[in-house]
Every structure is written in C-alpha cells, then in structure tokens.
Amino acid sequence: MAAEKLDEAAIADNLHKMEGWVRAEDGNSIWKAFRFKNFVEAFGFMTECAIVAEKLNHHPEWFN
C-alpha cells in the first residue's frame, strides 16, 4: 500500500509537533540537522534509521 501525501493543513498541523524539523524551501520535503559526539555515534544512528526506513520502504535522501 502506497503512502498518501499529506495536504497542506495536515503538514502544518503535524510539522509543528516535530521538534527541530522544518520544511524545505521547495516544500516537497522536511529536514533536520543532527550533531553527534563522534563518527561512530553518527554512523550507528544512520544505521538504525536505515533499518527502519527499509522496513517502511522509505528511502530518504540524507547527507553525512
């Protein structure tokens, strides 16, 4: 089952509940910057996210 895109009202209603997340300038995505103490901590976080994303068939664009 494909996920449905949220309408503008739902985006506005939900985005303010997510601490630190902002809407991208193009309006097509959201983003948040994360900072970690070291590379191992950052890599561990990205690995955990990748496992969850794969289970959801969601493949976010991210940068390290």
Side-chain angles (χ1 to χ4, degrees):
M1 179 177 191
E4 294 182 29
K5 289 187 177 186
L6 299 176
D7 62 26
E8 291 297 320
I11 292 169
D13 184 48
N14 288 287
L15 191 57
H16 83 275
K17 299 174 188 175
M18 299 171 22
E19 185 178 338
W21 288 88
V22 295
R23 198 160 183 192
E25 288 183 20
D26 65 7
N28 292 323
S29 61
I30 58 173
W31 68 272
K32 180 177 180 175
F34 293 88
R35 300 238 183 244
F36 299 94
K37 294 177 188 174
N38 56 52
F39 177 77
V40 172
E41 192 175 293
F43 197 86
F45 173 80
M46 290 178 73
T47 301
E48 288 182 37
C49 289
I51 292 168
V52 173
E54 182 64 23
K55 288 178 181 178
L56 296 171
N57 195 30
H58 177 70
H59 303 97
E61 182 175 322
W62 58 8
F63 304 92
N64 176 5

